[in-house]
Short mmCIF file of all heavy atoms in Angstrom, two decimals:
data_model
loop_
_atom_site.label_atom_id
_atom_site.label_comp_id
_atom_site.label_asym_id
_atom_site.label_seq_id
_atom_site.Cartn_x
_atom_site.Cartn_y
_atom_site.Cartn_z
N GLU A 46 0.87 -1.21 -0.02
CA GLU A 46 0.01 0.02 0.00
C GLU A 46 0.85 1.21 0.01
O GLU A 46 0.61 2.20 -0.74
CB GLU A 46 -0.92 0.00 1.23
CG GLU A 46 -1.76 1.24 1.29
CD GLU A 46 -2.51 1.32 2.63
OE1 GLU A 46 -2.58 0.39 3.35
OE2 GLU A 46 -3.16 2.41 2.88
N GLU A 47 1.88 1.24 0.80
CA GLU A 47 2.80 2.41 0.93
C GLU A 47 3.51 2.63 -0.40
O GLU A 47 3.61 3.79 -0.86
CB GLU A 47 3.71 2.25 2.09
CG GLU A 47 3.10 2.35 3.47
CD GLU A 47 4.02 2.06 4.59
OE1 GLU A 47 5.27 1.67 4.33
OE2 GLU A 47 3.61 2.20 5.78
N ASN A 48 3.93 1.65 -1.09
CA ASN A 48 4.60 1.78 -2.38
C ASN A 48 3.62 2.29 -3.42
O ASN A 48 3.99 3.20 -4.24
CB ASN A 48 5.19 0.43 -2.85
CG ASN A 48 6.34 0.02 -1.95
OD1 ASN A 48 7.06 0.86 -1.34
ND2 ASN A 48 6.60 -1.30 -1.95
N PHE A 49 2.42 1.77 -3.36
CA PHE A 49 1.40 2.21 -4.34
C PHE A 49 1.08 3.73 -4.16
O PHE A 49 1.09 4.49 -5.06
CB PHE A 49 0.17 1.41 -4.15
CG PHE A 49 -1.08 1.97 -4.84
CD1 PHE A 49 -1.28 1.82 -6.18
CD2 PHE A 49 -2.05 2.69 -4.18
CE1 PHE A 49 -2.39 2.33 -6.91
CE2 PHE A 49 -3.18 3.17 -4.80
CZ PHE A 49 -3.37 3.01 -6.21
N LEU A 50 0.90 4.19 -2.91
CA LEU A 50 0.66 5.55 -2.64
C LEU A 50 1.82 6.47 -2.98
O LEU A 50 1.63 7.56 -3.42
CB LEU A 50 0.27 5.74 -1.13
CG LEU A 50 -1.11 5.20 -0.78
CD1 LEU A 50 -1.34 5.37 0.77
CD2 LEU A 50 -2.25 5.92 -1.52
N ALA A 51 3.01 5.93 -2.71
CA ALA A 51 4.24 6.70 -3.06
C ALA A 51 4.35 6.95 -4.59
O ALA A 51 4.70 8.04 -5.06
CB ALA A 51 5.48 6.02 -2.52
N ASP A 52 3.96 5.88 -5.32
CA ASP A 52 4.00 6.06 -6.82
C ASP A 52 3.01 7.06 -7.31
O ASP A 52 3.21 7.89 -8.13
CB ASP A 52 3.74 4.67 -7.45
CG ASP A 52 4.94 3.69 -7.22
OD1 ASP A 52 6.01 4.18 -6.95
OD2 ASP A 52 4.67 2.53 -7.48
N CYS A 53 1.81 7.00 -6.69
CA CYS A 53 0.75 7.98 -7.02
C CYS A 53 1.07 9.38 -6.70
O CYS A 53 0.88 10.25 -7.47
CB CYS A 53 -0.58 7.58 -6.34
SG CYS A 53 -1.26 5.97 -6.96
N LEU A 54 1.64 9.53 -5.50
CA LEU A 54 2.13 10.83 -5.03
C LEU A 54 3.20 11.39 -5.91
O LEU A 54 3.18 12.63 -6.27
CB LEU A 54 2.62 10.75 -3.55
CG LEU A 54 3.05 12.06 -2.91
CD1 LEU A 54 1.86 13.02 -2.90
CD2 LEU A 54 3.56 11.82 -1.56
N GLU A 55 4.13 10.56 -6.39
CA GLU A 55 5.18 11.11 -7.27
C GLU A 55 4.59 11.56 -8.60
O GLU A 55 5.02 12.62 -9.15
CB GLU A 55 6.15 9.95 -7.59
CG GLU A 55 7.29 10.35 -8.49
CD GLU A 55 8.32 9.23 -8.76
OE1 GLU A 55 8.10 8.14 -8.17
OE2 GLU A 55 9.22 9.47 -9.54
N VAL A 56 3.56 10.92 -9.13
CA VAL A 56 2.96 11.36 -10.31
C VAL A 56 2.21 12.70 -10.14
O VAL A 56 2.28 13.61 -10.97
CB VAL A 56 1.95 10.27 -10.91
CG1 VAL A 56 1.24 10.86 -12.16
CG2 VAL A 56 2.73 9.00 -11.29
N ILE A 57 1.48 12.77 -9.00
CA ILE A 57 0.73 13.96 -8.67
C ILE A 57 1.75 15.21 -8.49
O ILE A 57 1.43 16.28 -9.01
CB ILE A 57 -0.12 13.77 -7.42
CG1 ILE A 57 -1.23 12.77 -7.75
CG2 ILE A 57 -0.70 15.07 -6.95
CD1 ILE A 57 -2.07 12.42 -6.55
N GLN A 58 2.81 14.97 -7.82
CA GLN A 58 3.73 16.00 -7.53
C GLN A 58 4.67 16.36 -8.76
O GLN A 58 4.87 17.59 -9.02
CB GLN A 58 4.59 15.72 -6.31
CG GLN A 58 3.77 15.61 -4.99
CD GLN A 58 4.61 15.29 -3.79
OE1 GLN A 58 5.73 14.82 -3.93
NE2 GLN A 58 4.11 15.66 -2.66
N SER A 59 5.09 15.41 -9.46
CA SER A 59 6.10 15.57 -10.52
C SER A 59 5.49 15.59 -11.84
O SER A 59 6.09 16.17 -12.82
CB SER A 59 7.18 14.46 -10.51
OG SER A 59 7.84 14.45 -9.20
N GLY A 60 4.28 15.06 -12.03
CA GLY A 60 3.60 15.08 -13.30
C GLY A 60 4.00 13.88 -14.14
O GLY A 60 4.77 12.93 -13.73
N THR A 61 3.47 13.93 -15.38
CA THR A 61 3.77 12.87 -16.36
C THR A 61 4.61 13.55 -17.49
O THR A 61 4.78 14.83 -17.48
CB THR A 61 2.51 12.25 -16.97
OG1 THR A 61 1.93 13.17 -17.83
CG2 THR A 61 1.57 11.92 -15.87
N PRO A 62 5.04 12.85 -18.48
CA PRO A 62 5.73 13.42 -19.59
C PRO A 62 4.89 14.47 -20.32
O PRO A 62 5.49 15.31 -21.05
CB PRO A 62 6.12 12.25 -20.50
CG PRO A 62 6.21 11.06 -19.62
CD PRO A 62 5.14 11.31 -18.59
N TYR A 63 3.58 14.49 -20.19
CA TYR A 63 2.72 15.36 -20.93
C TYR A 63 2.02 16.39 -20.10
O TYR A 63 1.48 17.34 -20.66
CB TYR A 63 1.66 14.57 -21.69
CG TYR A 63 2.23 13.56 -22.62
CD1 TYR A 63 2.26 12.20 -22.22
CD2 TYR A 63 2.73 13.96 -23.88
CE1 TYR A 63 2.90 11.25 -23.17
CE2 TYR A 63 3.37 13.05 -24.73
CZ TYR A 63 3.40 11.70 -24.44
OH TYR A 63 3.94 10.84 -25.28
N LEU A 64 2.09 16.25 -18.73
CA LEU A 64 1.31 17.19 -17.94
C LEU A 64 1.78 17.17 -16.47
O LEU A 64 2.22 16.14 -16.01
CB LEU A 64 -0.21 16.68 -17.98
CG LEU A 64 -1.25 17.42 -17.18
CD1 LEU A 64 -2.57 17.39 -17.86
CD2 LEU A 64 -1.44 16.76 -15.78
N ARG A 65 1.74 18.38 -15.98
CA ARG A 65 2.00 18.52 -14.50
C ARG A 65 0.78 18.95 -13.84
O ARG A 65 0.29 20.11 -14.07
CB ARG A 65 3.16 19.52 -14.26
CG ARG A 65 3.56 19.61 -12.79
CD ARG A 65 4.89 20.26 -12.58
NE ARG A 65 5.27 20.31 -11.23
CZ ARG A 65 6.46 20.74 -10.78
NH1 ARG A 65 7.37 21.21 -11.67
NH2 ARG A 65 6.77 20.69 -9.44
N PRO A 66 0.18 18.24 -12.95
CA PRO A 66 -1.05 18.61 -12.23
C PRO A 66 -0.97 19.89 -11.46
O PRO A 66 0.03 20.11 -10.77
CB PRO A 66 -1.33 17.39 -11.26
CG PRO A 66 -0.63 16.20 -11.97
CD PRO A 66 0.64 16.83 -12.54
N GLU A 67 -1.95 20.77 -11.65
CA GLU A 67 -2.02 21.94 -10.92
C GLU A 67 -3.32 22.00 -10.03
O GLU A 67 -3.41 22.72 -9.02
CB GLU A 67 -2.09 23.13 -11.88
CG GLU A 67 -0.81 23.25 -12.79
CD GLU A 67 0.37 23.71 -11.89
OE1 GLU A 67 0.24 24.34 -10.82
OE2 GLU A 67 1.47 23.53 -12.42
N ARG A 68 -4.33 21.17 -10.39
CA ARG A 68 -5.59 21.23 -9.72
C ARG A 68 -5.78 20.09 -8.70
O ARG A 68 -6.79 20.08 -7.95
CB ARG A 68 -6.72 21.15 -10.72
CG ARG A 68 -6.95 22.40 -11.55
CD ARG A 68 -7.51 23.54 -10.65
NE ARG A 68 -7.98 24.65 -11.53
CZ ARG A 68 -8.72 25.62 -11.05
NH1 ARG A 68 -9.17 25.58 -9.77
NH2 ARG A 68 -9.17 26.63 -11.81
N ILE A 69 -4.89 19.13 -8.70
CA ILE A 69 -4.90 17.99 -7.77
C ILE A 69 -4.21 18.32 -6.52
O ILE A 69 -2.98 18.73 -6.62
CB ILE A 69 -4.43 16.68 -8.42
CG1 ILE A 69 -5.20 16.40 -9.74
CG2 ILE A 69 -4.47 15.56 -7.54
CD1 ILE A 69 -4.69 15.21 -10.50
N ALA A 70 -4.77 18.13 -5.38
CA ALA A 70 -4.07 18.39 -4.07
C ALA A 70 -2.86 17.55 -3.97
O ALA A 70 -2.81 16.41 -4.42
CB ALA A 70 -5.03 18.11 -2.94
N LEU A 71 -1.74 18.12 -3.51
CA LEU A 71 -0.45 17.42 -3.39
C LEU A 71 -0.41 16.40 -2.25
O LEU A 71 0.46 16.48 -1.41
CB LEU A 71 0.70 18.47 -3.24
CG LEU A 71 0.88 19.33 -4.47
CD1 LEU A 71 2.03 20.33 -4.18
CD2 LEU A 71 1.24 18.50 -5.68
N ASN A 72 -1.33 15.45 -2.30
CA ASN A 72 -1.20 14.35 -1.34
C ASN A 72 -1.90 13.16 -2.02
O ASN A 72 -2.60 13.32 -3.01
CB ASN A 72 -1.88 14.70 -0.05
CG ASN A 72 -3.26 15.32 -0.14
OD1 ASN A 72 -3.99 15.00 -1.16
ND2 ASN A 72 -3.67 16.20 0.75
N ALA A 73 -1.75 12.01 -1.43
CA ALA A 73 -2.33 10.79 -1.98
C ALA A 73 -3.03 10.08 -0.83
O ALA A 73 -2.36 9.58 0.16
CB ALA A 73 -1.27 9.92 -2.60
N LEU A 74 -4.36 10.10 -0.88
CA LEU A 74 -5.09 9.52 0.23
C LEU A 74 -5.66 8.16 -0.17
O LEU A 74 -6.02 7.92 -1.39
CB LEU A 74 -6.28 10.37 0.63
CG LEU A 74 -5.95 11.88 0.98
CD1 LEU A 74 -7.22 12.59 1.31
CD2 LEU A 74 -4.93 11.91 2.12
N SER A 75 -5.80 7.18 0.77
CA SER A 75 -6.38 5.94 0.43
C SER A 75 -7.23 5.48 1.58
O SER A 75 -6.92 5.79 2.76
CB SER A 75 -5.33 4.90 0.09
OG SER A 75 -4.62 4.44 1.24
N THR A 76 -8.19 4.71 1.29
CA THR A 76 -9.02 4.03 2.33
C THR A 76 -9.62 2.77 1.70
O THR A 76 -9.64 2.64 0.47
CB THR A 76 -10.10 4.91 2.92
OG1 THR A 76 -10.74 4.37 3.94
CG2 THR A 76 -11.13 5.26 1.73
N SER A 77 -10.13 1.88 2.54
CA SER A 77 -10.72 0.68 2.02
C SER A 77 -12.06 1.03 1.41
O SER A 77 -12.86 1.77 1.98
CB SER A 77 -10.92 -0.34 3.15
OG SER A 77 -11.68 -1.42 2.65
N SER A 78 -12.34 0.46 0.29
CA SER A 78 -13.64 0.67 -0.37
C SER A 78 -14.80 0.17 0.44
O SER A 78 -15.96 0.62 0.25
CB SER A 78 -13.68 0.04 -1.73
OG SER A 78 -13.47 -1.34 -1.63
N HIS A 79 -14.58 -0.70 1.44
CA HIS A 79 -15.64 -1.16 2.33
C HIS A 79 -16.31 -0.04 3.06
O HIS A 79 -17.46 -0.08 3.43
CB HIS A 79 -15.08 -2.16 3.39
CG HIS A 79 -14.94 -3.51 2.83
ND1 HIS A 79 -13.82 -3.97 2.19
CD2 HIS A 79 -15.71 -4.61 2.91
CE1 HIS A 79 -13.97 -5.26 1.89
NE2 HIS A 79 -15.13 -5.64 2.29
N PHE A 80 -15.57 1.07 3.24
CA PHE A 80 -16.08 2.19 4.15
C PHE A 80 -16.73 3.27 3.32
O PHE A 80 -17.33 4.22 3.90
CB PHE A 80 -14.91 2.79 4.95
CG PHE A 80 -14.19 1.72 5.76
CD1 PHE A 80 -12.80 1.67 5.76
CD2 PHE A 80 -14.90 0.81 6.51
CE1 PHE A 80 -12.09 0.73 6.55
CE2 PHE A 80 -14.21 -0.14 7.30
CZ PHE A 80 -12.82 -0.13 7.38
N VAL A 81 -16.54 3.29 1.96
CA VAL A 81 -16.97 4.43 1.19
C VAL A 81 -17.79 3.98 0.01
O VAL A 81 -17.28 3.30 -0.95
CB VAL A 81 -15.74 5.21 0.70
CG1 VAL A 81 -16.19 6.50 -0.03
CG2 VAL A 81 -14.86 5.66 1.84
N ARG A 82 -19.08 4.28 -0.05
CA ARG A 82 -19.91 3.94 -1.14
C ARG A 82 -19.48 4.56 -2.45
O ARG A 82 -19.72 3.96 -3.54
CB ARG A 82 -21.39 4.23 -0.82
CG ARG A 82 -21.94 3.56 0.40
CD ARG A 82 -22.02 1.98 0.22
NE ARG A 82 -22.74 1.32 1.26
CZ ARG A 82 -22.76 0.05 1.41
NH1 ARG A 82 -22.04 -0.80 0.61
NH2 ARG A 82 -23.42 -0.53 2.43
N LEU A 83 -18.93 5.71 -2.39
CA LEU A 83 -18.56 6.39 -3.65
C LEU A 83 -17.38 5.70 -4.27
O LEU A 83 -17.25 5.62 -5.48
CB LEU A 83 -18.12 7.84 -3.32
CG LEU A 83 -19.27 8.73 -2.90
CD1 LEU A 83 -18.74 10.16 -2.58
CD2 LEU A 83 -20.41 8.81 -3.96
N LEU A 84 -16.46 5.09 -3.45
CA LEU A 84 -15.40 4.26 -4.04
C LEU A 84 -15.98 2.94 -4.69
O LEU A 84 -15.54 2.52 -5.70
CB LEU A 84 -14.35 3.89 -3.01
CG LEU A 84 -13.34 4.95 -2.63
CD1 LEU A 84 -12.39 4.42 -1.47
CD2 LEU A 84 -12.46 5.29 -3.82
#
């Protein structure tokens, strides 16, 4: 889980070869889908 979130955070903070996010908050949150109907 930590590795997955670290990878997501790196993309959000550093961007991709085509885009650097400006509108996405600079954090990566996760929770179990059991707890969230929207997930």
Side-chain angles (χ1 to χ4, degrees):
E46 178 187 351
E47 291 177 353
N48 290 335
F49 168 77
L50 289 176
D52 291 340
C53 294
L54 183 60
E55 181 179 356
V56 176
I57 290 172
Q58 292 182 341
S59 302
T61 73
Y63 301 101
L64 179 147
R65 184 167 183 171
E67 299 289 342
R68 289 288 194 169
I69 302 176
L71 292 179
N72 48 32
L74 306 179
S75 75
T76 187
S77 171
S78 58
H79 278 86
F80 305 133
V81 184
R82 296 298 187 191
L83 294 177
L84 279 176

